[in-house]
Amino acid sequence: MTFDNAFGDLIAFFGGAGTFLLALGVIVFAGFLLRSVGQMLDHKGETFNEMPLIIASILAILLLAAVSLFWSAFFGGRATLRTIILVVAGIALAGWLFRYLGQMFTNNAPMFRDMPYGVAFGYALAAAAVIGGVWLYFQENALFFRWAVQGFILFGIGAFLFRLLGRHVGTTGSKKLFRAMPLTASFGIYIILIYAVLAVFAGVIAPHGQEEIFTKVNVLPGGDPALGGDPDFPLGTDQIGRDLLSRLIYGAQNTVGIAFATTCLAFFLGGSLGFLAATLGGWLDQFLSRAVDVLMAIPALIFALLLMTIASAWAGSQSWLLTIYMIVIIAVIDSTRVFRLARAVGVNIVVMDYIEAAKLRGEGLSYLIFREILPNATAPLLAEFGLRFCFVFLTIASLSFLGVGIQPPLADWGTMVRDLAQFINFAAFSPLTAALPLLAAGAIALLTVAVNFVVDWMLHKSSGLKE
Amino acid sequence: MDSVLRIIIQRLGLGALTLLVVSIVIFIAVNLLPGDFAQAILGQGATPEAIESIRRDLGLDQPYLSRYFNWLAGTLQGDLGTSFAQANFASFTGSQELTTVAAQIAPRFENTMFLAGVTAAIAVPVSLTLGILAALYRNSVFDRATNIFTLSSISSPEFFLAYILILFLAVLNPLLPSLSNIFEGMSLSERFIKTLLPALTLTLVVTAHMMRMTRAAIINLLASPYIEMARLKGLSPMRVIVVHALPNALAPIINVIALNLAYLITGVVVVEVVFVYPGIGQLFVDSVKIRDIPVVQACCLIFAGAYILLNLLADILSILSNPRLRHPK
């Protein structure tokens, strides 16, 4: 670097810093002015009297931003921005009108009299959103939105009927459970059941095999021969002629099955080591806890990717071996989180009197762990199992999406998304084709959402939180 | 203030120690590779002499311990080695100049930080506001709707959210570019526009987590006596929450924000691949695919370092925000 250059950089740096400082000064001054004006106009109010200068400066920045947005919308000819501002202003006005009319017509009923403006605005916003949604639903070209709404309503009705069924069929206990269940939780259980059926009976349900290759390649979805489809392949075929519907169904078996096996392994590893550390204590506990601390200091996905690099070198060209390695790697990484929880729960249980009694009876280690600690730790571990499963499932899907997860001959949703992703660009011409990658990704999302809903409900129920 | 300084120094020392152990773990993991790097660089058809010379160049003939310390010393001085792909390319073309890993990573690191910065600037205010509103109108329709929405967006894979956003904002309504080709010398506004779609995707993922935590932290405090007192004084619900509950809920909120920033730096991998964003995550994935060990090692260390540093920051900030920890008896 020459001297000239360095000098120029220096000037540029200080020039930049100077502008920055000047702008900062102007903003702080504006904030100060704003606060002073506020204090003058509102003598008694605490809002302005107690306001720190930094909050006032932030308010000034927001005010400046709002003014400049207005300026460019109404005088700078930004039509989209103008529409947005007008719509927001319209909703704000509607909210005020709603409250005012409510007060007038109900003769100041407490609901309207005490309603803060924010709530009224919220009602107006919600009404606008519903009206906008309905309007969009009947638009000619909003095909994806219509599909999403239809799917949402269909699944909602399914979940409702499922809950209704659960309330009237089954044992007394299960009926009671279903009666106290929110719709989200029954939606979750309903979806999980559907996935379980798909995964177990994939071979029966799928019209073709997952590795079966047909001569017709790149058949478009829809099954209409005039549009390049084929009734034999409702969702079309891929570049080498495999039926996509079958692969989607087999994906339930492979992706979900592998994730489930991995989670079980992680729980076996982490759970048994955690309980062992809690019961024995001492140097084993110290060693295991510190080792887990170190492993948890590396972000999970990054560590998994690093280990997968090595595993892919070990596995060579045998792809099934790589899948096994992946299961082990992710199980080990996730078992650290399980270990933490199992140890924390176990330590609380070990100090109980009944453990002391069992020890005095002369029970062995395995009796203590499996008959005394485990039954008392099932509730938190079960909730954790759900969350872990989601996490493992998403990690595996992400690895497959990045191309280092479940390997090709097996059908898998993450890999399908990656292979089909480019079709999304054809959304305007062939919506069905563009929906294919979203279908695979949505299959992943739907299951994790469902499991999360169920876990959320379980946690809510076991914590006894009602407020 | 003395004790606070001591706590901070303790935490920093612990962080440095963790980083050291992590570097050992990474080194061991990498050395589990079958065969050795020389074979990996030259491929199958290499002559034994060539392999021998590369082994000498890379110092592979030395024992593990001295190799580890050489690597560590180099890393501390900012020398992360040379990527295999680059070395291979150089030996193919016969050129002497090699692009080092550090030079490869530097611009990408800056891009990733830019993406994380834009995301944080959008996500933090939005999630705090939403969290406060959800706590204020708890158990209302608004609260339940946000709960369902955030739970869904936390549990969806990033690429699903990314493709949904691409479908609606880039393909059907071409408002934003779906590919983020960032290059040197582009104007800030243009760069911002190109970063917006990945940033929005990350915002969706991160906001949900932060918002739920904010809501939970505030609601946890609502049963305390001083909140009841404030309510009995006749303060408005908004004021009770913002002035009385929020400062006491700061520790968990700061914690979750720092954790999510750590996530932003480490979890960007998938989003960067979807949008072909030239960040460090994409470099990492590409290097993983071609088994370019020096780059993988360096990226891994940077990610782990950022992760540890932000966790440390969360720890220290939550100590500072709690007077009881700040002035221990």
Side-chain angles (χ1 to χ4, degrees), chain A residues 271-282 284-286 288-289 339 343 347 350 369:
Chain A
S272 48
L273 285 180
F275 286 144
L276 213 59
T279 342
L280 293 179
L284 182 80
D285 183 23
Q286 281 299 322
L288 285 175
S289 299
F339 172 87
R343 187 183 164 276
V347 164
V350 160
I369 289 181

Side-chain angles (χ1 to χ4, degrees), chain A residues 225-411:
Chain A
L227 295 173
D230 189 322
D232 277 349
F233 312 109
L235 289 183
T237 58
D238 61 8
Q239 304 97 308
I240 57 172
R242 292 173 300 190
D243 179 37
L244 283 174
L245 178 65
S246 306
R247 286 181 73 74
L248 208 59
I249 293 171
Y250 269 102
Q253 198 172 47
N254 298 325
T255 319
V256 179
I258 288 175
F260 190 72
T262 312
T263 319
C264 288
L265 188 60
F267 259 75
F268 176 70
L269 277 178
S272 48
L273 285 180
F275 286 144
L276 213 59
T279 342
L280 293 179
W283 63 268
L284 182 80
D285 183 23
Q286 281 299 322
F287 173 76
L288 285 175
S289 299
R290 293 296 84 76
V292 161
D293 280 352
V294 169
L295 288 185
M296 281 179 76
I298 309 174
L301 187 64
I302 304 295
F303 201 30
L305 275 169
L306 170 74
L307 292 182
M308 284 308 286
T309 324
I310 293 145
S312 68
W314 277 90
S317 55
Q318 282 153 310
S319 61
W320 60 271
L321 205 57
L322 190 60
T323 310
I324 304 260
Y325 283 146
M326 184 188 70
I327 292 178
V328 175
I329 287 171
I330 294 178
V332 168
I333 291 176
D334 266 275
S335 69
T336 55
R337 277 79 178 165
V338 181
F339 172 87
R340 273 274 177 95
L341 183 81
R343 187 183 164 276
V345 173
V347 164
N348 280 336
I349 296 175
V350 160
V351 292
M352 292 291 182
D353 285 340
Y354 53 82
I355 300 285
E356 195 71 16
K359 273 184 187 162
L360 288 176
R361 280 208 306 274
E363 303 288 2
L365 189 62
S366 65
Y367 182 91
L368 278 182
I369 289 181
F370 289 108
R371 304 297 296 274
E372 299 283 356
I373 298 181
L374 194 58
N376 288 300
T378 26
L381 281 186
L382 210 62
E384 177 72 8
F385 189 87
L387 291 180
R388 271 303 116 207
F389 172 77
C390 287
F391 201 82
V392 166
F393 187 55
L394 287 181
T395 312
I396 291 179
S398 300
L399 283 181
S400 303
F401 176 74
L402 296 174
V404 288
I406 300 171
Q407 295 300 313
L410 290 179

